[in-house]
């Protein structure tokens, strides 16, 4: 049958799609199946399948094949043009265009687009915009057909076209491995599938080199490694491609000759870096050595002692005032923020200048609240440029003392930018909890500095009386020591045991949206769900979807837009997951969708710091819903109430002590863990893998 898509009802992560459609003979029927992946409201489809009875949702058309066709009837054409698929045309303008040209509308746009100016409200500028959008829409549709022929998700078509434009089909045919790292969602497995079906030989050097580079980049993105041991890289790649290790090893030499990788001596074996990570690590070590050995420009004078300080806090103040680079660490309740406040006040009393910053906006705001001093993000302090490889020697931070809180979040890239900006002689104080998770990006900067004996450091261990009664702080210190977190009398920490992962998810949603808000007399926005994993029945994707349907469901007559398996509506809580220097938004900030403009194909987001930014529909991969977020993405933030599922799904690969410790310390008033005791025990027992980094070795060598 042929039918037009009226509304997307549900899209699953595996692309299984449920949609409401209408045809000339039947209005408002439901169709479902993975063959519908990527369809959008307004499109006309030729469907193959059979009618079936769903036990819960009733009669629906189970689709086995789907082909996009050009709308033929006046109704279908108007629905297509008014759906928002063509930028610059909304429902009213679509009605006017179709009212003027009738069934010939699409032929006019195709063959005589200049005639569009016959319609009121369409001038030359709007006409050019419509023609360009129409051309792009047709190109993406054609690309979808090509991808389906390769057995690859058609959802990738728009992403490929966004990067390569009219050259997309040519690049797809000539060099599919080029898409890796340039097109979001395309890793080696997808590019390799296209390449092999296009006739690229299994033993092709191009294929093997792509697999080797993907191995390095995946290790950086997934595990935070800056390098891999040569033997491990070759062995894994050979096994993955089912080729001989000798052949794969030869291609490492080829990448070395092309200067795409660096091979050098590690602690026990030869190691392989992607060129970018090697150059950044070497640069950071050199910058840190320069800062450490520089003569201080701080106008140091005698400073008065604060009688309220503990001995280790007093030592930390002296360290920060006398060392050009130093590290202050300690767990919750040990007075790091108060120590920073005293250090900053002392420098100001001496006539010096101070800059307080943190990797995320929330962390900076929290630092400002705790110290009573202004704080900013590292990115904004550096006045970051759009060029990701541009360093900032020409615009150094001018303060006598620069304090970076939540320094465990500094990855190799941001730490290099930061140290490039600081003038030699300024004091850099890195403050953080070394027991928390490392950065999302590659590297382990804070932990690496703590391995270098020449770097001054102070760990605060004394838990102050006002913090001793907190169940959260007690639980955190128990976890850090390898003990199960069971605090007497609750006091801010609670573990609720449930075995069924599906029941765990439902209970977490109930606690976050109803039980805690009702008991504590707060809005649901005061309760944050944190999940160890993204996938699974108790992961961020599924729990986030459940909370969205509870707090902000689809409503008749209210606009919404599906991007992959995510639907965006006005009122949704969202989080940018990539830095965007042009927009001035950074990974980890949160905001609310305040407008969804179908005609302009944009979503407007009010960031919590007060700025409103626009995301085009094809940029929505940069946003994720914030109803349930990963523990990694919660770093630097603090929430009044935290609820978290703990289940041993997929082997519980993310359950680690640092992750559980970070999760618990995100809460201010209450943290409730819901799940399997086995998962809790596993998280406490597992220490986690150390990242492959060479920063401590390089810095030690640079300092002689």
């Amino acid at each position: 049958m042929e039918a037009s898509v009226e509304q997307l009802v549900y899209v699953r992560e595996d692309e299984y799609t449920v949609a409401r459609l209408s045809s000339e003979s039947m209005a408002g029927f439901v169709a479902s199946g993975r063959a519908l992946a990527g369809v959008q409201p307004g499109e006309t489809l030729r469907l193959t399948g059979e009618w079936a009875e769903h036990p819960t949702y009733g009669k629906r058309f189970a689709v086995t094949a789907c082909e996009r066709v050009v709308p033929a009837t006046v109704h279908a054409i108007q629905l297509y043009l008014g759906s928002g698929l063509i930028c610059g045309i909304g429902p009213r303008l679509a009605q006017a265009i179709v009212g003027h040209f009738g069934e010939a509308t699409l032929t006019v746009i195709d063959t005589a687009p200049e005639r569009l100016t016959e319609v009121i409200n369409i001038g030359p500028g709007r006409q050019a915009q419509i023609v360009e959008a129409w051309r792009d829409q047709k190109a993406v549709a054609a690309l979808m057909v090509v991808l389906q022929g390769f057995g690859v998700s058609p959802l990738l078509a728009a992403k490929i076209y966004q990067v390569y434009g009219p050259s997309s089909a040519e690049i797809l045919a000539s060099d599919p491995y080029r898409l890796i790292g340039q097109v979001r969602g395309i890793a080696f497995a997808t590019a390799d599938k296209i390449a092999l079906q296009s006739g690229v030989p299994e033993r092709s050097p191009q294929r093997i080199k792509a697999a080797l580079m993907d191995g390095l980049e995946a290790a950086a993105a997934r595990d935070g490694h800056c390098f891999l041991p040569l033997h491990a890289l070759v062995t894994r790649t050979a096994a993955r491609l089912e080729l001989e290790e000798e052949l794969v090893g030869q291609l490492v030499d080829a990448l070395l000759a092309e200067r795409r990788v660096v091979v050098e001596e590690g602690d026990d074996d030869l190691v392989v870096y992607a060129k970018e990570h090697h150059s950044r690590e070497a640069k950071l070590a050199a910058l840190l050595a320069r800062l450490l050995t520089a003569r201080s420009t701080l106008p140091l004078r005698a400073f008065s002692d604060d009688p309220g300080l503990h001995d280790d806090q007093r030592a930390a103040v002296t360290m920060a005032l006398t060392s050009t680079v130093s590290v202050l660490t300690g767990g919750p309740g040990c007075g790091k923020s108060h120590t920073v406040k005293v250090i900053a006040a002392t420098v100001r009393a001496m006539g010096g200048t101070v800059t307080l910053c943190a990797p995320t906006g929330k962390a900076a705001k929290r630092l400002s609240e705790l110290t009573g001093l202004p704080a900013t993000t590292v990115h904004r302090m550096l006045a970051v440029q759009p060029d990701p490889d541009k360093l900032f020697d020409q615009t150094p931070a001018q303060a006598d003392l620069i304090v970076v809180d939540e320094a465990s979040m500094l990855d190799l890239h941001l730490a290099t930018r930061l140290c490039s900006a600081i003038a030699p002689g300024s004091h850099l104080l890195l403050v953080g909890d070394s027991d928390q998770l490392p950065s999302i990006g590659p590297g382990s900067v804070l932990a690496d500095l703590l391995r270098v004996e020449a770097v001054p450091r102070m760990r605060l261990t004394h838990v102050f009386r006002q913090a001793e009664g907190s169940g959260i702080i007690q639980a955190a210190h128990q976890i850090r020591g390898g003990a199960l977190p069971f605090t007497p009398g609750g006091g801010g920490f609670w573990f609720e045991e449930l075995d069924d992962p599906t029941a765990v998810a439902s209970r977490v949603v109930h606690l976050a949206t109803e039980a805690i808000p009702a008991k504590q007399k707060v809005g649901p926005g005061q309760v944050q769900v944190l999940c160890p994993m993204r996938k699974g029945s108790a992961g961020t994707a599924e729990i986030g979807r459940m909370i969205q349907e509870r707090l902000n469901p689809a409503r008749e007559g209210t606009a919404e837009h599906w991007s992959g398996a995510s639907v965006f509506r006005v009122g949704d809580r969202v989080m940018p997951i990539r830095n965007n220097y042009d927009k001035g938004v950074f990974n980890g900030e949160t905001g609310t969708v305040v407008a969804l403009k179908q005609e302009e194909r944009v979503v407007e987001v009010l960031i919590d710091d007060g700025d409103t930014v626009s995301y085009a529909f094809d940029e929505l991969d940069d946003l994720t819903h914030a109803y349930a977020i990963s523990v990694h993405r919660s770093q630097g933030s603090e929430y009044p109430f935290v609820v978290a599922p703990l289940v041993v799904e997929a082997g519980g690969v993310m359950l680690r002590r640092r992750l559980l410790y970070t999760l618990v310390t995100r809460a201010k008033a209450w943290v409730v863990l819901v799940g399997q005791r086995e998962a809790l025990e596993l998280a406490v027992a597992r220490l986690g893998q150390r990242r492959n980094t060479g920063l401590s070795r390089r810095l030690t060598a640079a300092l002689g």
Side-chain angles (χ1 to χ4, degrees):
M1 70 172 75
E2 284 193 10
S4 297
V5 182
E6 292 185 341
Q7 179 189 9
L8 293 179
V9 177
Y10 176 63
V11 182
R12 216 162 54 192
E13 290 258 315
D14 64 358
E15 299 180 359
Y16 177 85
T17 301
V18 181
R20 184 173 298 279
L21 299 93
S22 62
S23 66
E24 287 190 356
S25 60
M26 192 182 312
F29 70 93
V30 174
S32 63
R34 293 187 67 185
L36 290 172
V39 303
Q40 292 290 327
E43 291 184 315
T44 298
L45 311 174
R46 182 174 293 126
L47 305 174
T48 304
E50 59 184 15
W51 290 101
E53 190 73 23
H54 191 280
T56 304
Y57 301 108
K59 188 178 181 181
R60 61 175 56 184
F61 192 70
V63 180
T64 56
C66 169
E67 177 188 354
R68 288 166 174 80
V69 296
V70 176
T73 67
V74 167
H75 172 74
I77 294 170
Q78 185 170 323
L79 181 66
Y80 177 71
L81 291 180
S83 66
L85 278 169
I86 307 301
C87 187
I89 302 181
R92 288 185 180 177
L93 189 56
Q95 185 177 11
I97 294 171
V98 176
H100 187 75
F101 296 114
E103 292 183 358
T105 296
L106 299 184
T107 303
V108 169
I109 297 176
D110 243 345
T111 61
E114 66 280 356
R115 289 192 60 196
L116 285 170
T117 55
E118 296 173 13
V119 180
I120 192 167
N121 290 332
I122 297 183
R126 176 71 66 89
Q127 181 256 353
Q129 181 187 26
I130 292 170
V131 170
E132 182 181 2
W134 170 254
R135 181 203 67 197
D136 291 347
Q137 184 65 23
K138 287 180 65 178
V140 170
L143 208 55
M144 283 182 164
V145 175
V146 173
L147 292 176
Q148 284 176 315
F150 288 123
V152 172
S153 169
L155 294 178
L156 294 171
K159 298 177 185 179
I160 294 171
Y161 193 80
Q162 185 182 359
V163 176
Y164 300 116
S167 304
S168 296
E170 178 188 342
I171 290 170
L172 204 60
S174 63
D175 187 10
Y177 294 113
R178 181 175 165 186
L179 276 60
I180 302 172
Q182 294 187 8
V183 179
R184 290 169 195 160
I186 296 187
F188 176 81
T190 301
D192 195 44
K193 190 173 187 178
I194 297 169
L196 291 176
Q197 291 193 45
S198 301
V200 173
E202 289 186 357
R203 302 173 67 83
S204 161
Q206 177 193 27
R207 179 178 186 239
I208 299 170
K209 287 190 289 187
L212 286 164
M213 292 305 300
D214 182 68
L216 289 174
E217 293 302 332
R222 182 185 61 244
D223 301 317
H225 294 317
C226 295
F227 66 79
L228 285 176
L230 173 60
H231 177 71
L233 176 62
V234 170
T235 301
R236 291 175 197 171
T237 306
R240 183 184 191 185
L241 302 182
E242 299 182 346
L243 297 172
E244 315 88 76
E245 290 185 15
E246 182 181 356
L247 175 61
V248 174
Q250 292 171 4
L251 271 301
V252 174
D253 294 336
L255 289 171
L256 185 61
E258 294 170 11
R259 304 185 72 177
R260 295 173 64 188
V261 301
V262 175
V263 179
E264 64 181 27
E265 288 281 351
D267 292 332
D268 305 310
D269 191 7
L270 290 175
V271 300
V272 186
Y273 284 82
K275 182 70 166 60
E276 175 192 22
H277 296 144
H278 182 271
S279 61
R280 284 211 173 114
E281 193 176 84
K283 174 80 170 176
L284 179 56
L287 290 168
L288 284 166
R290 181 182 71 168
L291 295 176
L292 273 160
T293 56
R295 176 176 291 184
S296 171
T297 58
L298 187 67
L300 189 61
R301 300 197 300 268
F303 56 93
S304 58
D305 188 21
D306 186 322
L309 293 180
H310 190 265
D311 288 346
D312 53 6
Q313 289 180 299
R314 203 169 283 113
V317 174
T318 302
M319 173 189 73
L321 296 177
T322 57
S323 305
T324 49
V325 177
S326 57
V327 179
L328 174 62
T329 68
C334 292
K336 294 192 302 295
S337 298
H338 181 68
T339 306
V340 168
K341 182 177 182 178
V342 172
I343 292 169
T346 303
V347 171
R348 287 184 165 187
M350 293 176 175
T353 55
V354 178
T355 296
L356 302 185
C357 61
T360 67
K362 278 199 171 182
K365 183 178 180 182
R366 182 164 159 248
L367 176 63
S368 180
E369 290 170 350
L370 290 170
T371 61
L373 299 170
T376 184
T377 64
V378 177
H379 301 281
R380 289 191 169 93
M381 181 193 78
L382 298 176
V384 178
Q385 303 293 322
D387 182 355
D389 292 312
K390 187 175 178 64
L391 297 176
F392 303 97
D393 296 304
Q394 75 281 11
T395 55
Q398 297 297 314
D400 296 303
L401 171 68
I402 298 162
V403 179
V404 183
D405 197 17
E406 298 288 354
S408 61
M409 298 176 66
L410 289 176
D411 62 12
L412 188 64
H413 181 51
L414 185 57
T416 304
R417 289 180 178 274
L418 171 70
C419 292
S420 296
I422 299 173
S426 295
H427 287 224
L428 172 63
L429 174 63
L430 300 176
V431 182
D433 189 339
S434 56
D435 293 309
Q436 285 189 20
L437 285 169
S439 58
I440 293 177
S444 188
V445 175
L446 184 65
D448 283 348
L449 286 178
L450 291 172
R451 294 187 189 104
V452 179
E453 290 185 9
V455 176
R457 85 283 310 274
M458 175 56 62
R459 181 180 182 89
L460 306 182
T461 57
H462 175 73
V463 179
F464 286 85
R465 184 174 302 159
Q466 62 267 35
E468 286 179 343
S470 165
I472 294 171
I473 290 177
Q474 287 184 42
H477 286 284
Q478 288 165 348
I479 292 166
R480 188 174 66 81
L484 289 177
F486 293 112
T487 55
F493 175 85
W494 186 259
F495 173 63
E496 182 174 321
E497 189 171 352
L498 273 178
D499 280 334
D500 177 19
T502 303
V504 168
S506 298
R507 180 60 175 162
V508 165
V509 172
H510 173 71
L511 285 168
T513 61
E514 296 180 33
I516 293 177
K519 184 172 182 177
Q520 301 294 334
K521 295 180 173 54
V522 297
Q526 297 294 298
V527 186
Q528 181 63 56
V529 174
L530 303 180
C531 301
M533 293 179 287
R534 192 183 74 82
K535 295 184 177 180
S537 59
T540 58
E542 181 61 18
I543 290 181
R545 182 191 64 79
M546 293 168 68
I547 294 176
Q548 182 189 32
E549 288 308 307
R550 188 77 60 91
L551 298 180
N552 194 24
R555 294 180 176 87
E556 189 73 31
T558 302
E560 63 179 31
H561 179 75
W562 285 85
S563 175
S566 299
V567 59
F568 291 88
R569 302 176 182 126
V570 172
D572 277 339
R573 291 290 292 164
V574 293
M575 171 183 284
I577 57 174
R578 292 180 183 87
N579 297 334
N580 188 313
Y581 304 121
D582 293 333
K583 296 183 190 299
V585 295
F586 302 101
N587 186 356
E589 294 182 320
T590 51
T592 303
V593 175
V594 292
L596 199 156
K597 301 179 178 179
Q598 293 281 10
E599 187 172 339
E600 290 91 345
R601 296 182 62 78
V602 298
V603 169
E604 289 188 352
V605 177
L606 175 64
I607 302 298
D608 289 348
D609 68 3
D611 292 337
T612 300
V613 296
S614 294
Y615 283 86
F617 283 179
D618 58 10
E619 295 178 312
L620 291 178
D621 274 358
D622 285 357
L623 285 181
T624 188
H625 288 89
Y627 295 111
I629 62 175
S630 70
V631 180
H632 254 115
R633 297 204 183 281
S634 73
Q635 284 178 272
S637 298
E638 200 173 56
Y639 312 95
F641 305 94
V642 167
V643 185
L646 289 181
V647 297
V648 189
E649 280 191 323
V653 291
M654 296 302 293
L655 295 175
R656 296 286 189 273
R657 188 181 298 176
R658 287 181 186 273
L659 181 138
L660 183 61
Y661 177 83
T662 304
L663 188 164
V664 168
T665 55
R666 297 309 89 204
K668 287 193 286 190
W670 271 92
V671 59
V672 182
L673 307 181
V674 181
Q676 301 159 337
R677 183 177 295 269
E678 179 190 356
L680 181 62
E681 293 172 348
L682 198 61
V684 171
R686 283 179 173 169
L687 291 176
Q689 181 185 28
R690 178 173 164 178
R691 292 185 169 185
N692 295 336
T693 65
L695 179 61
S696 56
R697 172 173 52 83
R698 293 184 199 284
L699 183 54
T700 299
L703 294 172

